[in-house]
PDB file of all heavy atoms in Angstrom:
ATOM      1  N   SER A  31      23.700 -51.105-122.340  1.00 93.00           N
ATOM      2  CA  SER A  31      23.960 -51.681-123.657  1.00 93.00           C
ATOM      3  C   SER A  31      23.800 -53.189-123.561  1.00 93.00           C
ATOM      4  O   SER A  31      23.804 -53.762-122.473  1.00 93.00           O
ATOM      5  CB  SER A  31      25.367 -51.320-124.146  1.00 93.00           C
ATOM      6  OG  SER A  31      26.348 -51.824-123.259  1.00 93.00           O
ATOM      7  N   GLY A  32      23.651 -53.790-124.692  1.00 91.00           N
ATOM      8  CA  GLY A  32      23.500 -55.232-124.728  1.00 91.00           C
ATOM      9  C   GLY A  32      22.054 -55.681-124.724  1.00 91.00           C
ATOM     10  O   GLY A  32      21.704 -56.653-125.364  1.00 91.00           O
ATOM     11  N   ARG A  33      21.248 -54.999-123.953  1.00 90.00           N
ATOM     12  CA  ARG A  33      19.828 -55.285-123.897  1.00 90.00           C
ATOM     13  C   ARG A  33      19.103 -53.995-123.571  1.00 90.00           C
ATOM     14  O   ARG A  33      19.651 -53.082-122.949  1.00 90.00           O
ATOM     15  CB  ARG A  33      19.508 -56.323-122.821  1.00 90.00           C
ATOM     16  CG  ARG A  33      20.083 -57.695-123.049  1.00 90.00           C
ATOM     17  CD  ARG A  33      19.560 -58.691-122.029  1.00 90.00           C
ATOM     18  NE  ARG A  33      18.122 -58.918-122.168  1.00 90.00           N
ATOM     19  CZ  ARG A  33      17.437 -59.788-121.456  1.00 90.00           C
ATOM     20  NH1 ARG A  33      18.045 -60.495-120.523  1.00 90.00           N
ATOM     21  NH2 ARG A  33      16.147 -59.942-121.635  1.00 90.00           N
ATOM     22  N   ALA A  34      17.851 -53.941-123.944  1.00 89.00           N
ATOM     23  CA  ALA A  34      17.034 -52.801-123.550  1.00 89.00           C
ATOM     24  C   ALA A  34      16.707 -52.909-122.068  1.00 89.00           C
ATOM     25  O   ALA A  34      16.648 -54.006-121.503  1.00 89.00           O
ATOM     26  CB  ALA A  34      15.746 -52.769-124.370  1.00 89.00           C
ATOM     27  N   LEU A  35      16.502 -51.751-121.451  1.00 90.00           N
ATOM     28  CA  LEU A  35      16.186 -51.731-120.027  1.00 90.00           C
ATOM     29  C   LEU A  35      14.716 -52.059-119.749  1.00 90.00           C
ATOM     30  O   LEU A  35      14.288 -52.036-118.591  1.00 90.00           O
ATOM     31  CB  LEU A  35      16.528 -50.369-119.430  1.00 90.00           C
ATOM     32  CG  LEU A  35      18.016 -50.108-119.238  1.00 90.00           C
ATOM     33  CD1 LEU A  35      18.247 -48.708-118.698  1.00 90.00           C
ATOM     34  CD2 LEU A  35      18.638 -51.151-118.317  1.00 90.00           C
ATOM     35  N   THR A  36      13.987 -52.348-120.796  1.00 87.00           N
ATOM     36  CA  THR A  36      12.590 -52.734-120.625  1.00 87.00           C
ATOM     37  C   THR A  36      12.493 -53.916-119.666  1.00 87.00           C
ATOM     38  O   THR A  36      13.151 -54.936-119.850  1.00 87.00           O
ATOM     39  CB  THR A  36      11.985 -53.136-121.977  1.00 87.00           C
ATOM     40  OG1 THR A  36      12.153 -52.056-122.893  1.00 87.00           O
ATOM     41  CG2 THR A  36      10.510 -53.452-121.825  1.00 87.00           C
ATOM     42  N   GLY A  37      11.670 -53.732-118.639  1.00 89.00           N
ATOM     43  CA  GLY A  37      11.476 -54.808-117.683  1.00 89.00           C
ATOM     44  C   GLY A  37      12.462 -54.824-116.536  1.00 89.00           C
ATOM     45  O   GLY A  37      12.333 -55.628-115.617  1.00 89.00           O
ATOM     46  N   TYR A  38      13.472 -53.963-116.583  1.00 93.00           N
ATOM     47  CA  TYR A  38      14.456 -53.910-115.503  1.00 93.00           C
ATOM     48  C   TYR A  38      14.079 -52.841-114.471  1.00 93.00           C
ATOM     49  O   TYR A  38      13.758 -51.712-114.837  1.00 93.00           O
ATOM     50  CB  TYR A  38      15.840 -53.562-116.049  1.00 93.00           C
ATOM     51  CG  TYR A  38      16.553 -54.701-116.742  1.00 93.00           C
ATOM     52  CD1 TYR A  38      16.343 -54.958-118.094  1.00 93.00           C
ATOM     53  CD2 TYR A  38      17.450 -55.506-116.046  1.00 93.00           C
ATOM     54  CE1 TYR A  38      17.003 -55.996-118.727  1.00 93.00           C
ATOM     55  CE2 TYR A  38      18.123 -56.539-116.676  1.00 93.00           C
ATOM     56  CZ  TYR A  38      17.896 -56.775-118.024  1.00 93.00           C
ATOM     57  OH  TYR A  38      18.559 -57.802-118.655  1.00 93.00           O
ATOM     58  N   ASP A  39      14.161 -53.209-113.228  1.00 95.00           N
ATOM     59  CA  ASP A  39      14.149 -52.227-112.164  1.00 95.00           C
ATOM     60  C   ASP A  39      15.571 -51.703-112.007  1.00 95.00           C
ATOM     61  O   ASP A  39      16.531 -52.467-112.079  1.00 95.00           O
ATOM     62  CB  ASP A  39      13.680 -52.843-110.853  1.00 95.00           C
ATOM     63  CG  ASP A  39      12.232 -53.313-110.916  1.00 95.00           C
ATOM     64  OD1 ASP A  39      11.420 -52.618-111.542  1.00 95.00           O
ATOM     65  OD2 ASP A  39      11.930 -54.383-110.340  1.00 95.00           O
ATOM     66  N   MET A  40      15.687 -50.410-111.788  1.00 96.00           N
ATOM     67  CA  MET A  40      17.014 -49.792-111.740  1.00 96.00           C
ATOM     68  C   MET A  40      17.259 -49.144-110.391  1.00 96.00           C
ATOM     69  O   MET A  40      16.354 -48.537-109.799  1.00 96.00           O
ATOM     70  CB  MET A  40      17.131 -48.733-112.833  1.00 96.00           C
ATOM     71  CG  MET A  40      16.980 -49.271-114.243  1.00 96.00           C
ATOM     72  SD  MET A  40      18.270 -50.452-114.674  1.00 96.00           S
ATOM     73  CE  MET A  40      19.731 -49.418-114.575  1.00 96.00           C
ATOM     74  N   GLY A  41      18.477 -49.275-109.925  1.00 97.00           N
ATOM     75  CA  GLY A  41      18.829 -48.707-108.635  1.00 97.00           C
ATOM     76  C   GLY A  41      20.106 -47.902-108.698  1.00 97.00           C
ATOM     77  O   GLY A  41      20.932 -48.088-109.596  1.00 97.00           O
ATOM     78  N   TRP A  42      20.250 -46.996-107.756  1.00 98.00           N
ATOM     79  CA  TRP A  42      21.494 -46.281-107.518  1.00 98.00           C
ATOM     80  C   TRP A  42      21.944 -46.588-106.094  1.00 98.00           C
ATOM     81  O   TRP A  42      21.135 -46.544-105.152  1.00 98.00           O
ATOM     82  CB  TRP A  42      21.323 -44.766-107.683  1.00 98.00           C
ATOM     83  CG  TRP A  42      21.213 -44.300-109.096  1.00 98.00           C
ATOM     84  CD1 TRP A  42      20.079 -44.023-109.793  1.00 98.00           C
ATOM     85  CD2 TRP A  42      22.294 -44.039-109.997  1.00 98.00           C
ATOM     86  NE1 TRP A  42      20.380 -43.613-111.065  1.00 98.00           N
ATOM     87  CE2 TRP A  42      21.740 -43.601-111.229  1.00 98.00           C
ATOM     88  CE3 TRP A  42      23.687 -44.115-109.905  1.00 98.00           C
ATOM     89  CZ2 TRP A  42      22.515 -43.261-112.338  1.00 98.00           C
ATOM     90  CZ3 TRP A  42      24.462 -43.774-111.002  1.00 98.00           C
ATOM     91  CH2 TRP A  42      23.878 -43.352-112.205  1.00 98.00           C
ATOM     92  N   PHE A  43      23.218 -46.874-105.973  1.00 98.00           N
ATOM     93  CA  PHE A  43      23.835 -47.113-104.674  1.00 98.00           C
ATOM     94  C   PHE A  43      25.091 -46.256-104.595  1.00 98.00           C
ATOM     95  O   PHE A  43      25.566 -45.745-105.593  1.00 98.00           O
ATOM     96  CB  PHE A  43      24.209 -48.592-104.511  1.00 98.00           C
ATOM     97  CG  PHE A  43      23.025 -49.509-104.418  1.00 98.00           C
ATOM     98  CD1 PHE A  43      22.336 -49.893-105.567  1.00 98.00           C
ATOM     99  CD2 PHE A  43      22.572 -49.980-103.197  1.00 98.00           C
ATOM    100  CE1 PHE A  43      21.226 -50.718-105.483  1.00 98.00           C
ATOM    101  CE2 PHE A  43      21.471 -50.810-103.104  1.00 98.00           C
ATOM    102  CZ  PHE A  43      20.801 -51.179-104.258  1.00 98.00           C
ATOM    103  N   ARG A  44      25.632 -46.129-103.391  1.00 98.00           N
ATOM    104  CA  ARG A  44      26.881 -45.391-103.252  1.00 98.00           C
ATOM    105  C   ARG A  44      27.742 -46.037-102.176  1.00 98.00           C
ATOM    106  O   ARG A  44      27.235 -46.715-101.282  1.00 98.00           O
ATOM    107  CB  ARG A  44      26.612 -43.928-102.924  1.00 98.00           C
ATOM    108  CG  ARG A  44      26.066 -43.667-101.528  1.00 98.00           C
ATOM    109  CD  ARG A  44      25.730 -42.192-101.346  1.00 98.00           C
ATOM    110  NE  ARG A  44      25.385 -41.869 -99.962  1.00 98.00           N
ATOM    111  CZ  ARG A  44      25.001 -40.661 -99.566  1.00 98.00           C
ATOM    112  NH1 ARG A  44      24.906 -39.653-100.433  1.00 98.00           N
ATOM    113  NH2 ARG A  44      24.701 -40.451 -98.298  1.00 98.00           N
ATOM    114  N   GLN A  45      29.025 -45.794-102.298  1.00 98.00           N
ATOM    115  CA  GLN A  45      29.964 -46.327-101.310  1.00 98.00           C
ATOM    116  C   GLN A  45      31.026 -45.281-101.028  1.00 98.00           C
ATOM    117  O   GLN A  45      31.780 -44.895-101.921  1.00 98.00           O
ATOM    118  CB  GLN A  45      30.605 -47.615-101.801  1.00 98.00           C
ATOM    119  CG  GLN A  45      31.453 -48.309-100.749  1.00 98.00           C
ATOM    120  CD  GLN A  45      31.783 -49.741-101.123  1.00 98.00           C
ATOM    121  OE1 GLN A  45      31.670 -50.150-102.276  1.00 98.00           O
ATOM    122  NE2 GLN A  45      32.183 -50.535-100.138  1.00 98.00           N
ATOM    123  N   ALA A  46      31.055 -44.841 -99.791  1.00 96.00           N
ATOM    124  CA  ALA A  46      32.065 -43.889 -99.347  1.00 96.00           C
ATOM    125  C   ALA A  46      33.268 -44.660 -98.804  1.00 96.00           C
ATOM    126  O   ALA A  46      33.130 -45.822 -98.399  1.00 96.00           O
ATOM    127  CB  ALA A  46      31.486 -42.981 -98.272  1.00 96.00           C
ATOM    128  N   PRO A  47      34.433 -44.041 -98.767  1.00 92.00           N
ATOM    129  CA  PRO A  47      35.629 -44.725 -98.260  1.00 92.00           C
ATOM    130  C   PRO A  47      35.407 -45.261 -96.853  1.00 92.00           C
ATOM    131  O   PRO A  47      34.919 -44.547 -95.972  1.00 92.00           O
ATOM    132  CB  PRO A  47      36.689 -43.627 -98.269  1.00 92.00           C
ATOM    133  CG  PRO A  47      36.242 -42.688 -99.333  1.00 92.00           C
ATOM    134  CD  PRO A  47      34.753 -42.689 -99.269  1.00 92.00           C
ATOM    135  N   GLY A  48      35.729 -46.527 -96.663  1.00 94.00           N
ATOM    136  CA  GLY A  48      35.611 -47.132 -95.346  1.00 94.00           C
ATOM    137  C   GLY A  48      34.200 -47.496 -94.929  1.00 94.00           C
ATOM    138  O   GLY A  48      33.987 -47.925 -93.792  1.00 94.00           O
ATOM    139  N   ARG A  49      33.264 -47.345 -95.849  1.00 96.00           N
ATOM    140  CA  ARG A  49      31.881 -47.645 -95.505  1.00 96.00           C
ATOM    141  C   ARG A  49      31.310 -48.679 -96.464  1.00 96.00           C
ATOM    142  O   ARG A  49      31.830 -48.898 -97.561  1.00 96.00           O
ATOM    143  CB  ARG A  49      31.039 -46.364 -95.548  1.00 96.00           C
ATOM    144  CG  ARG A  49      31.525 -45.295 -94.585  1.00 96.00           C
ATOM    145  CD  ARG A  49      30.613 -44.099 -94.581  1.00 96.00           C
ATOM    146  NE  ARG A  49      29.278 -44.411 -94.081  1.00 96.00           N
ATOM    147  CZ  ARG A  49      28.318 -43.508 -93.931  1.00 96.00           C
ATOM    148  NH1 ARG A  49      28.558 -42.245 -94.234  1.00 96.00           N
ATOM    149  NH2 ARG A  49      27.140 -43.857 -93.462  1.00 96.00           N
ATOM    150  N   GLU A  50      30.234 -49.306 -96.056  1.00 95.00           N
ATOM    151  CA  GLU A  50      29.578 -50.284 -96.899  1.00 95.00           C
ATOM    152  C   GLU A  50      28.754 -49.583 -97.984  1.00 95.00           C
ATOM    153  O   GLU A  50      28.375 -48.429 -97.837  1.00 95.00           O
ATOM    154  CB  GLU A  50      28.668 -51.185 -96.059  1.00 95.00           C
ATOM    155  CG  GLU A  50      29.417 -52.078 -95.084  1.00 95.00           C
ATOM    156  CD  GLU A  50      28.499 -53.051 -94.385  1.00 95.00           C
ATOM    157  OE1 GLU A  50      27.266 -52.950 -94.549  1.00 95.00           O
ATOM    158  OE2 GLU A  50      29.018 -53.926 -93.670  1.00 95.00           O
ATOM    159  N   ARG A  51      28.510 -50.330 -99.033  1.00 96.00           N
ATOM    160  CA  ARG A  51      27.656 -49.811-100.098  1.00 96.00           C
ATOM    161  C   ARG A  51      26.253 -49.600 -99.539  1.00 96.00           C
ATOM    162  O   ARG A  51      25.713 -50.467 -98.845  1.00 96.00           O
ATOM    163  CB  ARG A  51      27.629 -50.783-101.265  1.00 96.00           C
ATOM    164  CG  ARG A  51      26.985 -50.241-102.517  1.00 96.00           C
ATOM    165  CD  ARG A  51      27.262 -51.135-103.706  1.00 96.00           C
ATOM    166  NE  ARG A  51      28.685 -51.227-104.002  1.00 96.00           N
ATOM    167  CZ  ARG A  51      29.174 -51.807-105.093  1.00 96.00           C
ATOM    168  NH1 ARG A  51      28.360 -52.340-105.988  1.00 96.00           N
ATOM    169  NH2 ARG A  51      30.475 -51.866-105.292  1.00 96.00           N
ATOM    170  N   GLU A  52      25.665 -48.447 -99.861  1.00 97.00           N
ATOM    171  CA  GLU A  52      24.336 -48.151 -99.333  1.00 97.00           C
ATOM    172  C   GLU A  52      23.379 -47.749-100.444  1.00 97.00           C
ATOM    173  O   GLU A  52      23.759 -47.188-101.472  1.00 97.00           O
ATOM    174  CB  GLU A  52      24.398 -47.051 -98.264  1.00 97.00           C
ATOM    175  CG  GLU A  52      24.853 -45.705 -98.748  1.00 97.00           C
ATOM    176  CD  GLU A  52      24.828 -44.646 -97.648  1.00 97.00           C
ATOM    177  OE1 GLU A  52      24.242 -44.887 -96.564  1.00 97.00           O
ATOM    178  OE2 GLU A  52      25.394 -43.563 -97.879  1.00 97.00           O
ATOM    179  N   PHE A  53      22.128 -48.025-100.194  1.00 98.00           N
ATOM    180  CA  PHE A  53      21.058 -47.720-101.136  1.00 98.00           C
ATOM    181  C   PHE A  53      20.847 -46.224-101.233  1.00 98.00           C
ATOM    182  O   PHE A  53      20.866 -45.513-100.219  1.00 98.00           O
ATOM    183  CB  PHE A  53      19.783 -48.409-100.668  1.00 98.00           C
ATOM    184  CG  PHE A  53      18.531 -47.929-101.328  1.00 98.00           C
ATOM    185  CD1 PHE A  53      18.212 -48.364-102.608  1.00 98.00           C
ATOM    186  CD2 PHE A  53      17.667 -47.062-100.684  1.00 98.00           C
ATOM    187  CE1 PHE A  53      17.059 -47.933-103.230  1.00 98.00           C
ATOM    188  CE2 PHE A  53      16.515 -46.632-101.290  1.00 98.00           C
ATOM    189  CZ  PHE A  53      16.200 -47.067-102.564  1.00 98.00           C
ATOM    190  N   VAL A  54      20.623 -45.747-102.456  1.00 98.00           N
ATOM    191  CA  VAL A  54      20.300 -44.342-102.694  1.00 98.00           C
ATOM    192  C   VAL A  54      18.878 -44.209-103.227  1.00 98.00           C
ATOM    193  O   VAL A  54      18.070 -43.458-102.681  1.00 98.00           O
ATOM    194  CB  VAL A  54      21.290 -43.695-103.676  1.00 98.00           C
ATOM    195  CG1 VAL A  54      20.885 -42.251-103.969  1.00 98.00           C
ATOM    196  CG2 VAL A  54      22.715 -43.766-103.147  1.00 98.00           C
ATOM    197  N   ALA A  55      18.580 -44.920-104.312  1.00 97.00           N
ATOM    198  CA  ALA A  55      17.268 -44.782-104.937  1.00 97.00           C
ATOM    199  C   ALA A  55      17.007 -45.982-105.834  1.00 97.00           C
ATOM    200  O   ALA A  55      17.929 -46.628-106.327  1.00 97.00           O
ATOM    201  CB  ALA A  55      17.187 -43.499-105.755  1.00 97.00           C
ATOM    202  N   VAL A  56      15.729 -46.250-106.057  1.00 96.00           N
ATOM    203  CA  VAL A  56      15.324 -47.308-106.976  1.00 96.00           C
ATOM    204  C   VAL A  56      14.120 -46.811-107.750  1.00 96.00           C
ATOM    205  O   VAL A  56      13.289 -46.053-107.229  1.00 96.00           O
ATOM    206  CB  VAL A  56      14.978 -48.616-106.229  1.00 96.00           C
ATOM    207  CG1 VAL A  56      13.870 -48.417-105.217  1.00 96.00           C
ATOM    208  CG2 VAL A  56      14.599 -49.726-107.212  1.00 96.00           C
ATOM    209  N   LYS A  57      14.014 -47.238-108.995  1.00 94.00           N
ATOM    210  CA  LYS A  57      12.862 -46.892-109.825  1.00 94.00           C
ATOM    211  C   LYS A  57      12.365 -48.191-110.455  1.00 94.00           C
ATOM    212  O   LYS A  57      13.101 -48.886-111.151  1.00 94.00           O
ATOM    213  CB  LYS A  57      13.221 -45.864-110.896  1.00 94.00           C
ATOM    214  CG  LYS A  57      12.009 -45.229-111.561  1.00 94.00           C
ATOM    215  CD  LYS A  57      12.416 -44.037-112.369  1.00 94.00           C
ATOM    216  CE  LYS A  57      11.234 -43.324-113.020  1.00 94.00           C
ATOM    217  NZ  LYS A  57      10.341 -42.696-112.036  1.00 94.00           N
ATOM    218  N   ARG A  58      11.113 -48.497-110.199  1.00 92.00           N
ATOM    219  CA  ARG A  58      10.534 -49.737-110.681  1.00 92.00           C
ATOM    220  C   ARG A  58      10.078 -49.604-112.120  1.00 92.00           C
ATOM    221  O   ARG A  58       9.528 -48.555-112.530  1.00 92.00           O
ATOM    222  CB  ARG A  58       9.350 -50.139-109.797  1.00 92.00           C
ATOM    223  CG  ARG A  58       9.653 -50.298-108.330  1.00 92.00           C
ATOM    224  CD  ARG A  58      10.697 -51.384-108.031  1.00 92.00           C
ATOM    225  NE  ARG A  58      10.325 -52.701-108.500  1.00 92.00           N
ATOM    226  CZ  ARG A  58       9.623 -53.579-107.783  1.00 92.00           C
ATOM    227  NH1 ARG A  58       9.200 -53.266-106.580  1.00 92.00           N
ATOM    228  NH2 ARG A  58       9.359 -54.767-108.279  1.00 92.00           N
ATOM    229  N   TRP A  59      10.268 -50.652-112.892  1.00 88.00           N
ATOM    230  CA  TRP A  59       9.820 -50.642-114.290  1.00 88.00           C
ATOM    231  C   TRP A  59       8.298 -50.729-114.357  1.00 88.00           C
ATOM    232  O   TRP A  59       7.664 -50.075-115.153  1.00 88.00           O
ATOM    233  CB  TRP A  59      10.453 -51.818-115.035  1.00 88.00           C
ATOM    234  CG  TRP A  59       9.736 -52.106-116.322  1.00 88.00           C
ATOM    235  CD1 TRP A  59       8.829 -53.096-116.578  1.00 88.00           C
ATOM    236  CD2 TRP A  59       9.846 -51.344-117.518  1.00 88.00           C
ATOM    237  NE1 TRP A  59       8.379 -53.001-117.865  1.00 88.00           N
ATOM    238  CE2 TRP A  59       8.976 -51.944-118.467  1.00 88.00           C
ATOM    239  CE3 TRP A  59      10.578 -50.202-117.888  1.00 88.00           C
ATOM    240  CZ2 TRP A  59       8.846 -51.461-119.760  1.00 88.00           C
ATOM    241  CZ3 TRP A  59      10.444 -49.726-119.183  1.00 88.00           C
ATOM    242  CH2 TRP A  59       9.589 -50.345-120.093  1.00 88.00           C
ATOM    243  N   ARG A  60       7.729 -51.575-113.486  1.00 86.00           N
ATOM    244  CA  ARG A  60       6.321 -51.922-113.583  1.00 86.00           C
ATOM    245  C   ARG A  60       5.407 -50.700-113.525  1.00 86.00           C
ATOM    246  O   ARG A  60       4.524 -50.550-114.336  1.00 86.00           O
ATOM    247  CB  ARG A  60       5.961 -52.898-112.469  1.00 86.00           C
ATOM    248  CG  ARG A  60       4.520 -53.371-112.445  1.00 86.00           C
ATOM    249  CD  ARG A  60       4.290 -54.250-111.244  1.00 86.00           C
ATOM    250  NE  ARG A  60       4.515 -53.521-109.997  1.00 86.00           N
ATOM    251  CZ  ARG A  60       5.086 -54.055-108.925  1.00 86.00           C
ATOM    252  NH1 ARG A  60       5.501 -55.302-108.931  1.00 86.00           N
ATOM    253  NH2 ARG A  60       5.254 -53.335-107.831  1.00 86.00           N
ATOM    254  N   ASP A  61       5.631 -49.822-112.569  1.00 88.00           N
ATOM    255  CA  ASP A  61       4.728 -48.691-112.400  1.00 88.00           C
ATOM    256  C   ASP A  61       5.463 -47.353-112.350  1.00 88.00           C
ATOM    257  O   ASP A  61       4.833 -46.311-112.142  1.00 88.00           O
ATOM    258  CB  ASP A  61       3.895 -48.851-111.125  1.00 88.00           C
ATOM    259  CG  ASP A  61       4.757 -48.999-109.880  1.00 88.00           C
ATOM    260  OD1 ASP A  61       6.000 -48.826-109.978  1.00 88.00           O
ATOM    261  OD2 ASP A  61       4.198 -49.287-108.807  1.00 88.00           O
ATOM    262  N   GLY A  62       6.779 -47.381-112.547  1.00 89.00           N
ATOM    263  CA  GLY A  62       7.549 -46.137-112.550  1.00 89.00           C
ATOM    264  C   GLY A  62       7.750 -45.521-111.181  1.00 89.00           C
ATOM    265  O   GLY A  62       8.277 -44.416-111.068  1.00 89.00           O
ATOM    266  N   SER A  63       7.342 -46.234-110.147  1.00 92.00           N
ATOM    267  CA  SER A  63       7.452 -45.664-108.805  1.00 92.00           C
ATOM    268  C   SER A  63       8.909 -45.604-108.378  1.00 92.00           C
ATOM    269  O   SER A  63       9.733 -46.410-108.800  1.00 92.00           O
ATOM    270  CB  SER A  63       6.652 -46.492-107.806  1.00 92.00           C
ATOM    271  OG  SER A  63       7.147 -47.813-107.736  1.00 92.00           O
ATOM    272  N   ALA A  64       9.224 -44.637-107.546  1.00 94.00           N
ATOM    273  CA  ALA A  64      10.589 -44.454-107.061  1.00 94.00           C
ATOM    274  C   ALA A  64      10.598 -44.422-105.540  1.00 94.00           C
ATOM    275  O   ALA A  64       9.638 -43.968-104.916  1.00 94.00           O
ATOM    276  CB  ALA A  64      11.193 -43.171-107.615  1.00 94.00           C
TER     277      ALA A  64
END
Side-chain angles (χ1 to χ4, degrees):
S31 61
R33 295 188 66 176
L35 286 178
T36 304
Y38 283 87
D39 295 322
M40 299 297 297
W42 285 97
F43 292 79
R44 70 185 188 183
Q45 187 165 17
R49 300 184 65 177
E50 293 186 353
R51 191 168 298 189
E52 64 177 348
F53 166 78
V54 177
V56 58
K57 194 168 182 67
R58 303 299 301 271
W59 163 258
R60 181 184 62 218
D61 57 8
S63 61

